[in-house]
């Protein structure tokens, strides 16, 4: 047998876990089956008209050239402004973030990947609270780091605290990844919880950086005030990277607009990395980003209230399935469902998700690749009628098993 030509770097890095299930949904639909798809990881809303108009204008004006690697200055300034508004305590102590502190990347995904590539040496540890967004550990592997998972319990809304961190931090810990609101659980951390984590890191873990993934900042259910990690822990200003973007909050997933706001030394490294790999993102998308960032909050009110309405409806219906564990989400657009009572011995959410497609005719995402084998993730980013039908089918299945 000839040795694989593929670099060892990719050993053990997983492909998308949903590919196989999507293929099953497609083949069943092709046979005429009516499958409700509740797997969406993106808003089912159109991007703002203003963003679309900005692209048309940029196109007419031939804005087709390379842009700076970090993005157009007008875009970076708006991102700095948004960050300053979300981090007033950082501004008060350290002054404002400026455009030069921002690197615009191809989505929040590339932003996080770049940071891990720029910070990790082989073997460095990254603390990943679990359940986690499934790309974090794969990106850590690509950057030759080692994920250290800290399990959040459903009873405490999957959140981790200072004692969990104290047990997990070692000399090799380089990064802690925080994600609030969270994909997949919908958990949000309070200001006090973030402040406690910040105080611990400030005093007891001076070598640890934080990546705060704030990509779902606009989609909140129980409060309208978003808490940015650094605003609760401004003392970590010089070792925290705030990651955000327009994919989820402005319904612009395909435009690939994400960013980092980071201390200058790291920003320089991110520029070197991005400058020798992908360069600046698509110029047209950047004009769309400028337009979207200029919009008032009210422009997104319809989307946010639709998510609130659907969340309420889904929770009401799902409550009828007694043995199903439901942790009401506080943000993002997913409902995380505990399916332990329904998995057969030796199986987990991977098999149950397949069964749900075949028997309940509903597709959800298994929790296993998110670090939660006894859970599945249901998306509420679909129209009310489809969501209602999907929830009712799930309840029917769970009540009869
Ligand atoms: N972070 C989280 C928690 C996500 O759920 C996603 C997308 O699913 C991303 C980051 C990346 O989003 P994008 O690359 O589209 O900006």
């Amino acid at each position: 047998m000839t040795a694989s030509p593929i670099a060892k770097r990719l050993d053990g890095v997983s492909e998308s876990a949903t590919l196989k299930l999507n293929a099953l949904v497609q083949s069943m639909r092709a046979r005429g089956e009516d499958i409700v798809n509740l797997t969406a990881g993106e808003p089912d809303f159109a991007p703002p008209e203003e963003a679309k108009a900005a692209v048309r204008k940029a196109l007419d004006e031939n804005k087709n050239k390379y842009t700076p690697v970090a993005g157009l200055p007008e875009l970076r300034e708006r991102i700095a402004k948004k960050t300053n508004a979300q981090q007033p305590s950082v501004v008060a102590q350290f002054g404002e973030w400026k455009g030069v502190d921002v690197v615009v990347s191809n989505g929040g995904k590339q932003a996080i990947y770049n940071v891990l590539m720029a910070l990790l040496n082989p073997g460095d540890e990254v603390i990943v609270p679990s359940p986690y967004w499934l790309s974090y550990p794969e990106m850590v592997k690509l950057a030759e780091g080692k994920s250290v998972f800290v399990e959040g319990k459903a009873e405490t809304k999957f959140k981790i605290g200072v004692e969990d961190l104290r047990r997990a931090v070692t000399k090799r810990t380089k990064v802690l990844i925080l994600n609030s609101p969270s994909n997949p659980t919908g958990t949000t951390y309070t200001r006090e919880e973030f402040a406690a984590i910040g105080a611990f890191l400030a005093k007891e873990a001076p070598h640890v950086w934080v990546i705060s993934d704030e990509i779902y900042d606009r989609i909140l259910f129980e409060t309208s005030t978003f808490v940015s990690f650094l605003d609760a822990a401004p003392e970590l200003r010089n070792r925290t990277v705030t990651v955000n973007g327009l994919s989820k909050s402005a319904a612009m997933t395909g435009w690939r607009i994400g960013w980092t706001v980071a201390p200058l030394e790291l920003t320089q490294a991110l520029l070197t990395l991005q400058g020798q790999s992908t360069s600046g993102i698509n110029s047209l998308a950047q004009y769309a980003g400028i337009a979207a960032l200029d919009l008032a909050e009210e422009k997104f009110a319809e989307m946010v209230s639709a998510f609130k309405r659907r969340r309420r409806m889904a929770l009401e219906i799902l409550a009828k399935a007694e043995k199903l564990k439901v942790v009401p989400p506080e943000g993002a657009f997913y409902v995380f469902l505990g399916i332990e009572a329904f998995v057969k011995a030796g199986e987990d959410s991977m098999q149950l998700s397949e069964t749900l497609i075949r028997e309940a005719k509903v597709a959800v995402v298994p929790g296993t690749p998110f670090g939660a084998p006894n859970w599945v993730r249901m998306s509420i980013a679909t129209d009310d009628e489809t969501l209602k039908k999907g929830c009712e089918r799930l309840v029917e299945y769970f009540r009869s098993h």
Side-chain angles (χ1 to χ4, degrees), residues 169-228:
V169 169
T170 72
K171 280 198 213 113
R172 292 305 307 262
T173 309
K174 187 68 180 279
V175 176
L176 162 67
I177 303 184
L178 294 170
N179 173 217
S180 172
S182 146
N183 173 9
T185 63
T187 285
T188 63
Y189 281 76
T190 63
R191 174 172 296 280
E192 292 68 32
E193 288 160 347
F194 268 166
I197 290 174
F200 164 75
L201 293 175
K203 271 202 224 96
E204 296 182 45
H207 55 300
V208 177
W209 280 67
V210 176
I211 298 176
S212 180
D213 179 350
E214 308 188 350
I215 200 102
Y216 292 95
D217 64 351
R218 184 168 276 139
I219 306 160
L220 299 171
F221 301 129
E222 316 225 308
T223 161
S224 53
T225 320
F226 171 71
V227 181
S228 179

Side-chain angles (χ1 to χ4, degrees), residues 31-83:
R31 275 187 269 130
E33 299 247 30
D34 162 35
I35 310 284
V36 174
N37 191 347
L38 302 182
T39 63
E42 56 189 341
D44 56 319
F45 288 85
E49 283 305 321
E50 292 81 353
K52 287 156 60 177
V55 171
R56 286 187 202 105
K57 182 162 177 285
L59 201 51
D60 287 341
E61 291 173 359
N62 283 326
K63 301 274 179 59
N64 304 299
K65 305 286 190 217
Y66 290 132
T67 69
V69 170
L72 293 166
E74 311 90 284
L75 177 57
R76 296 167 83 194
E77 273 153 30
R78 280 165 176 82
I79 293 166
K81 189 170 153 218
K82 173 185 163 83
T83 313

